[in-house]
Amino acid sequence: MLLHIGGFRLDTESDRNTPWHQLIPRTRVLCAFLLVFAIALTPNGQWLTWAVYGLAVAAIAVISQVRLLDLIKRVAVEFLFVGLVLLGTLFRSGGEVVWQWGILRITTEGLTVLGSVSLKMLLCLTMLNILVLTTSISNLLHALKELRVPKLLVAILFSMHRYIQVLVDEINCMKKAAQSRNLFAQARGKRLVIGNIMGSLFIRTLERGEQIHQAMLARGYTGLPPVLDPPLSQARDRRALAIVLILVLSGQIFHWQLRSTFN
Amino acid sequence: MLLFNVFCGNQAASFSAVFPVASHLAMHIPDGFLSLPVSLATWLIAIALIAICLNKVQGDYQERAVPLMGVCAAFIFAAQMINFPIPGGTSGHLLGGTLAGVLLGPWAGSLVMTVVFIVQAVLFQDGGITVLGANIFNMGLVGTFGGYFVYETIRKALGWNSWRGIGTGTAIASWVSVFVASLLCAVQLALSGTIALPIALSAMASWHVMIGIGEAVITTIAIGYVYRTRPDLLYKPPRSTTVAKTPVPR
């Protein structure tokens, strides 16, 4: 987790001027989510559908001009993290037995599921990484608000995002303090110290919350941080959405047409 | 971090697998692992849960809701980053559902956990977006909400105001919530046709028995610390302490 948290700036590619960046954040989020939902919820084995979606994702990657190396690095880290779990999908009954060794056996169905699930995961991760790399966090959260996510929830997300780094620093600081006093020598002692760190961090957190609240009130806080001139949806946004929708539908149609011609 | 568990289940189809499971998976299902019906059903439940939580929290905390819930979510997020040794030889990290429930109550606790999952899914691709509903259902509803009610029941039975009641409740509730959440996750994966039920169940169960113990130990120590130093900060604080001791001045 958080291997790429760095200085907690995720949008390293947000200052380009490409057709993808010219779309308003809401459209980008909508396009990305549409594609991700379509990719992930397509039933296993519809290879042609994913070919269409894969082309769409690749096209967005090219249009948005994200540095491919960065993108691949991030996707690879996230993919490997859960990739090992995928092996569990391989061993199952159903279909023909392709390979058998003792009681371990690999069947055609197992291969189909493994291939489908890893392909889906890879495409979804790539799409979401492009979105996060090209859109700043505050734009992302404002886009969520415009997409009818409850205002209170978005406001909480905003305030959490502001304090993640503060609390991560604080917990690291407390850990360092414990380490420098040699408290992590044994496993049992380590658990005790970490539990206590969390307890005391919670108390500090609540106190900090009160302080933040007072400070916010003193500065005239009304709800969400203001956006300077909210971007309006334009013709190109509608065009982009239409293209993505057509792609999503055509992916499914291709699959069914091919199936009916073969049967 | 990843542990290789070997299972030789002698099930009907004689499955067997060298099944590597990360503590990660149970709690964060990635995109593509769940089918449409399972995703849809869990999303509906999750949305209902979020709506009720938001209403309750707005009512309880009024305008303090935003800063308080925000820092508490950041707290859980930071707490999840610390690795600690689990009895049995590996290391794991806190999931924090029961911790949030005991400290903040079922509604605010579930909301905080939900916020953490949304941030992890949208910003860090840690857990998928299409399966966010399932993740919220497993760890927010069952892990936090369910965990809180297990805790409350035990606390009522063993002594509402005593450490015996609070401590035992916390320990059992955190183990149960992690274990049950992992079983549910296995069932969802099986229903989606991704992993066969016997493999998913046995892998999840055997691995999360240990994860649950780690969770219970750390959560109980953390709650114990709060109980000793600022018992008034617990959700529904024990009566004797709130009256007898004055809070630490700020």
Side-chain angles (χ1 to χ4, degrees):
Chain A
M1 198 170 98
L2 302 184
L3 294 169
H4 46 259
I5 192 166
F8 199 53
R9 182 162 178 260
L10 305 169
D11 55 318
T12 49
E13 317 258 335
S14 58
D15 48 354
R16 305 280 170 81
N17 190 17
T18 68
W20 171 256
H21 288 79
Q22 280 166 10
L23 299 175
I24 59 171
R26 189 183 64 192
T27 315
R28 276 181 255 166
V29 170
L30 214 53
C31 288
F33 281 16
L34 262 176
L35 270 174
V36 166
F37 270 82
I39 293 166
L41 298 179
T42 300
N44 290 341
Q46 293 195 19
W47 305 106
L48 202 62
T49 310
W50 292 315
V52 176
Y53 294 164
L55 282 179
V57 173
I60 292 176
V62 170
I63 292 171
S64 63
Q65 295 177 9
V66 289
R67 273 185 290 265
L68 277 182
L69 200 66
D70 286 3
L71 184 63
I72 291 169
K73 246 190 250 166
R74 293 177 50 132
V75 172
V77 167
E78 290 153 3
F79 189 80
L80 280 182
F81 220 71
V82 279
L84 281 174
V85 178
L86 282 171
L87 284 179
T89 60
L90 198 52
F91 304 99
R92 58 188 299 125
S93 60
E96 291 166 38
V97 175
V98 179
W99 179 82
Q100 188 156 17
W101 181 66
I103 35 175
L104 278 182
R105 62 160 82 145
I106 294 177
T107 61
T108 46
E109 201 187 316
L111 284 175
T112 309
V113 174
L114 175 72
S116 305
V117 172
S118 20
L119 188 63
K120 285 198 266 189
M121 204 168 81
L122 197 62
L123 288 178
C124 289
L125 281 178
T126 313
M127 186 63 245
L128 288 174
N129 271 308
I130 294 173
L131 178 69
V132 173
L133 276 173
T134 54
T135 313
S136 74
I137 293 173
S138 84
N139 277 342
L140 267 181
L141 294 180
H142 272 294
L144 286 184
K145 189 193 72 187
E146 286 170 26
L147 294 172
R148 304 281 165 83
V149 174
K151 217 177 142 194
L152 180 62
L153 189 61
V154 177
I156 294 174
L157 285 168
F158 260 113
S159 89
M160 175 192 179
H161 158 233
R162 298 217 168 258
Y163 292 99
I164 284 181
Q165 194 62 54
V166 175
L167 286 188
V168 169
D169 284 349
E170 188 143 343
I171 211 163
N172 282 336
C173 185
M174 290 162 98
K175 237 173 89 176
K176 210 164 273 172
Q179 258 162 359
S180 65
R181 288 161 182 78
N182 243 356
L183 297 179
F184 285 159
Q186 307 159 333
R188 204 178 146 270
K190 192 172 176 184
R191 284 193 287 270
L192 191 68
V193 172
I194 287 175
N196 284 339
I197 285 179
M198 286 180 187
S200 85
L201 186 69
F202 174 74
I203 295 171
R204 291 191 194 185
T205 302
L206 278 193
E207 282 165 359
R208 191 185 288 275
E210 290 292 337
Q211 283 168 14
I212 293 166
H213 180 227
Q214 298 298 333
M216 282 159 87
L217 290 182
R219 287 162 181 77
Y221 175 78
T222 52
L224 288 179
V227 199
L228 304 172
D229 46 326
L232 288 172
S233 164
Q234 292 176 342
R236 59 168 169 256
D237 293 295
R238 286 189 286 277
R239 271 202 301 276
L241 269 180
I243 292 172
V244 169
L245 261 178
I246 290 168
L247 278 171
V248 165
L249 289 177
S250 61
Q252 303 291 339
I253 291 166
F254 270 164
H255 171 78
W256 290 109
Q257 270 203 329
L258 200 73
R259 220 172 115 142
S260 55
T261 47
F262 271 106
N263 290 343
Chain B
M1 199 177 311
L2 293 169
L3 181 91
F4 287 81
N5 289 4
V6 181
F7 299 102
C8 290
N10 212 353
Q11 307 293 340
S14 97
F15 301 104
S16 169
V18 180
F19 192 87
V21 185
S23 65
H24 191 78
L25 169 74
M27 300 308 150
H28 297 94
I29 310 173
D31 275 321
F33 274 67
L34 295 186
S35 66
L36 181 61
V38 177
S39 302
L40 202 65
T42 46
W43 258 115
L44 286 180
I45 300 172
I47 288 174
L49 175 77
I50 296 173
I52 300 171
C53 283
L54 281 173
N55 261 330
K56 285 271 182 190
V57 168
Q58 176 96 71
D60 288 351
Y61 291 88
Q62 304 289 337
E63 44 167 40
R64 284 158 63 238
V66 171
L68 263 185
M69 294 301 107
V71 282
C72 287
F75 160 70
I76 295 289
F77 192 93
Q80 286 186 346
M81 286 180 62
I82 297 192
N83 276 306
F84 53 82
I86 291 176
T90 53
S91 75
H93 67 80
L94 200 70
L95 302 162
T98 309
L99 183 68
V102 173
L103 290 172
L104 298 166
W107 303 109
S110 303
L111 183 63
V112 161
M113 294 308 288
T114 304
V115 167
V116 172
F117 302 139
I118 295 177
V119 164
Q120 285 173 339
V122 176
L123 300 185
F124 300 103
Q125 284 80 52
D126 191 9
I129 294 204
T130 54
V131 296
L132 191 55
N135 283 331
I136 291 173
F137 175 78
N138 293 347
M139 293 175 281
L141 185 67
V142 176
T144 310
F145 208 83
Y148 175 78
F149 282 104
V150 172
Y151 155 78
E152 203 184 61
T153 313
I154 296 172
R155 189 177 161 190
K156 263 182 197 150
L158 290 183
W160 186 258
N161 296 319
S162 68
W163 170 242
R164 199 166 73 106
I166 296 175
T168 319
T170 307
I172 295 177
S174 27
W175 186 85
V176 169
S177 68
V178 168
F179 191 68
V180 172
S182 78
L183 293 189
L184 273 174
C185 174
V187 170
Q188 287 159 359
L189 287 173
L191 277 179
S192 307
T194 307
I195 301 179
L197 188 63
I199 294 182
L201 266 185
S202 54
M204 285 292 186
S206 60
W207 175 231
H208 282 89
V209 164
M210 299 315 291
I211 295 273
I213 293 176
E215 175 95 5
V217 170
I218 297 289
T219 309
T220 313
I221 296 172
I223 298 291
Y225 183 89
V226 176
Y227 178 82
R228 286 195 309 277
T229 49
R230 288 289 302 274
D232 56 305
L233 290 183
L234 290 174
Y235 182 74
K236 293 194 182 166
R239 196 185 300 136
S240 54
T241 49
T242 45
V243 179
K245 286 183 194 166
T246 51
V248 177
R250 294 196 184 143

